[in-house]
Amino acid sequence: PTVHTRIRKDSSSGMHRTVYRSAVLWCTGSRTIPTRIPHRAHATRGPPTRVQSMATDSTGAPRDDPLVQYVALRKDVVVDWPVGAVAAQAAHAATAALWMSRDAQTTAAYCAADNIDYMRKVVLEAPGETSLLQIAAKLEEAGICHKLWVEQPENVPTALAAAPNRKSVVGPFFQKAQAVREHIV
């Protein structure tokens, strides 16, 4: 059986391309044209489907102030925990923040069908638990939706994710955090 991996609209032809493990189907209205492709061909990325030179994004905001979801992880967790566990902490926090803000206009725009392939996340590391809690407190004080993920049953704060928002709005709260520097092997 074939496995569906994604649906993507080709901007030049206006057709939707559904990529399968063994075939690409071009859909134009009710007509479907199967095309054989190599097994790994679906992993190759073609040219971007949106015009990159436009001054605004799909939500009408300036490209220099995109919708971004910030995620901060504790540095000691990044260094000491297995890679899969660290990825799970970031995913838990990001998913929870998205769910908590599901009715927000910025979250709707971030998750919109025409933006789904262009989501931006910034993953940073906070030096320790104290700095993670300080960022959470500042976000709370400013009224910015976020989720501090506390791993159970250990009751250990491991990650913090802000709901999607403009970079100019949420970015300043994460200025003291640095990009994750550990390499995934």
Side-chain angles (χ1 to χ4, degrees):
T2 58
V3 177
H4 174 261
T5 54
R6 84 164 119 164
I7 297 174
R8 186 171 174 191
K9 185 173 182 178
D10 184 351
S11 63
S12 62
S13 66
M15 295 189 296
H16 289 82
R17 180 175 66 171
T18 305
V19 182
Y20 288 87
R21 186 175 289 162
S22 62
V24 173
L25 302 177
W26 287 95
C27 303
T28 57
S30 60
R31 195 175 97 192
T32 302
I33 308 163
T35 308
R36 301 301 292 172
I37 60 170
H39 175 68
R40 295 244 172 228
H42 68 275
T44 340
R45 294 205 77 148
T49 59
R50 293 205 277 181
V51 179
Q52 299 299 319
S53 62
M54 292 173 49
T56 60
D57 65 13
S58 64
T59 64
R63 285 207 183 273
D64 60 347
D65 194 17
L67 285 172
V68 177
Q69 185 175 29
Y70 279 83
V71 179
L73 295 159
R74 283 178 41 186
K75 184 174 183 168
D76 56 333
V77 169
V78 171
V79 172
D80 297 338
W81 290 27
V83 172
V86 173
Q89 300 307 301
H92 290 323
T95 304
L98 279 171
W99 181 254
M100 291 168 59
S101 66
R102 65 190 174 275
D103 296 327
Q105 190 174 16
T106 52
T107 300
Y110 184 78
C111 297
D114 65 339
N115 194 49
I116 205 83
D117 287 335
Y118 302 96
M119 291 178 166
R120 293 183 183 191
K121 282 193 178 41
V122 176
V123 181
L124 305 167
E125 61 185 17
E129 182 177 341
T130 304
S131 60
L132 199 65
L133 295 173
Q134 287 172 347
I135 296 169
K138 289 178 184 177
L139 290 168
E140 187 72 33
E141 188 178 298
I144 295 176
C145 184
H146 64 283
K147 176 62 179 174
L148 176 65
W149 187 259
V150 180
E151 184 63 14
Q152 297 298 332
E154 298 87 354
N155 204 33
V156 176
T158 56
L160 170 71
N165 213 322
R166 295 285 163 210
K167 184 177 180 181
S168 63
V169 173
V170 77
F173 294 95
F174 291 87
Q175 281 181 337
K176 292 185 180 178
Q178 297 179 348
V180 175
R181 303 225 186 272
E182 294 301 313
H183 298 284
I184 297 175
V185 184

